[in-house]
C-alpha cells in the first residue's frame, strides 16, 4: 500500500487563528466536498509563508463562509492571511494508482475558488509512469519542472 494525495486545497488563506478552541481546522463544507475532504479526516497543512507543517483534523464551518480557521495548538503555526496547502491522502495498491484522480482547488486571497485541477498518473509503454495536471476541461497543464521545455536545474548531462 502506498500513501498518495487524495485531494488538496492549494493557496487557501487563513481567515482566523483561534488558540482557545480545542484543536482542528475549520473549513467551509463547500470547499471540503468539492476537494473530497471529510469531517474528522486528518489532513496535512503546509504554510506557504512560514514553511510550518502540521497535521490535524477537519471540522466543518458555516457553508458558504469560505472560512479557514486554525484551532488550538495549530493556531500557533499560522496568521490570518497566510496561504496554506491542505492535503488529505489515501492508501492504495500500486495497481490502483492510475485510477486515482485527486481533485485540487486553487484560491484567491478571499478564498474564492480560482481553479479546479485534477492530477493524473498514467502507465507508459515501457512500464514507467507519467504525471499530468489537468484543468477543468481536461487539458494538460505544464508541470513545473518542464515549464518552457528547459531541463531542471542542477542536473548534469
Amino acid at each position: 500500500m502506498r500513501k498518495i494525495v487524495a485531494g488538496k486545497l492549494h493557496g487557501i488563506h487563513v481567515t482566523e487563528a483561534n488558540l482557545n478552541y480545542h484543536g482542528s481546522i475549520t473549513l467551509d463544507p463547500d470547499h471540503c466536498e468539492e476537494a473530497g475532504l471529510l469531517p474528522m479526516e486528518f489532513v496535512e497543512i503546509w504554510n506557504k509563508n512560514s514553511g510550518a507543517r502540521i497535521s490535524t483534523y477537519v471540522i466543518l464551518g458555516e457553508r458558504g463562509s469560505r472560512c479557514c480557521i486554525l484551532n488550538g495548538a495549530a493556531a500557533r503555526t499560522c496568521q490570518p492571511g497566510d496561504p496554506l496547502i491542505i492535503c488529505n491522502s489515501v492508501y492504495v495498491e500500486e495497481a490502483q494508482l492510475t485510477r486515482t484522480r485527486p481533485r485540487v482547488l486553487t484560491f484567491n486571497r478571499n478564498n474564492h475558488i480560482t481553479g479546479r485541477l485534477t492530477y493524473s498518473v498514467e502507465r507508459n509503454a515501457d512500464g514507467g509512469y507519467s504525471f499530468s495536471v489537468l484543468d477543468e476541461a481536461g487539458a494538460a497543464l505544464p508541470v513545473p519542472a518542464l515549464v518552457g521545455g528547459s531541463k531542471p536545474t542542477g542536473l548534469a548531462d
Side-chain angles (χ1 to χ4, degrees), residues 92-123:
V92 299
E93 298 283 346
E94 187 173 349
Q96 297 172 296
L97 181 59
T98 58
R99 291 190 301 268
T100 304
R101 296 285 190 256
R103 293 170 286 177
V104 180
L105 304 180
T106 59
F107 296 87
N108 68 13
R109 296 222 17 103
N110 295 316
N111 290 343
H112 289 282
I113 297 170
T114 58
R116 291 169 174 83
L117 308 173
T118 303
Y119 290 164
S120 176
V121 175
E122 301 298 329
R123 200 73 189 227

Side-chain angles (χ1 to χ4, degrees), residues 2-18:
R2 305 284 180 111
K3 183 178 178 180
I4 65 167
V5 173
K8 188 165 71 164
L9 304 178
H10 190 100
I12 193 166
H13 291 78
V14 176
T15 57
E16 188 178 337
N18 186 347

Side-chain angles (χ1 to χ4, degrees), residues 7-85:
K8 188 165 71 164
L9 304 178
H10 190 100
I12 193 166
H13 291 78
V14 176
T15 57
E16 188 178 337
N18 186 347
L19 184 62
N20 296 314
Y21 190 79
H22 46 85
S24 70
I25 183 167
T26 306
L27 296 169
D28 184 324
D30 291 337
H31 294 159
C32 290
E33 289 165 7
E34 194 163 343
L37 279 64
L38 299 173
M40 302 304 294
E41 181 173 22
F42 271 90
V43 292
E44 301 296 321
I45 301 170
W46 307 307
N47 185 320
K48 292 177 70 173
N49 279 354
S50 70
R53 293 174 159 251
I54 63 168
S55 176
T56 192
Y57 59 96
V58 173
I59 61 174
L60 300 179
E62 182 180 334
R63 187 172 296 279
S65 67
R66 301 184 318 275
C67 68
C68 177
I69 305 167
L70 279 292
N71 300 306
R76 295 241 186 242
T77 67
C78 302
Q79 298 294 314
D82 283 354
L84 305 179
I85 299 168

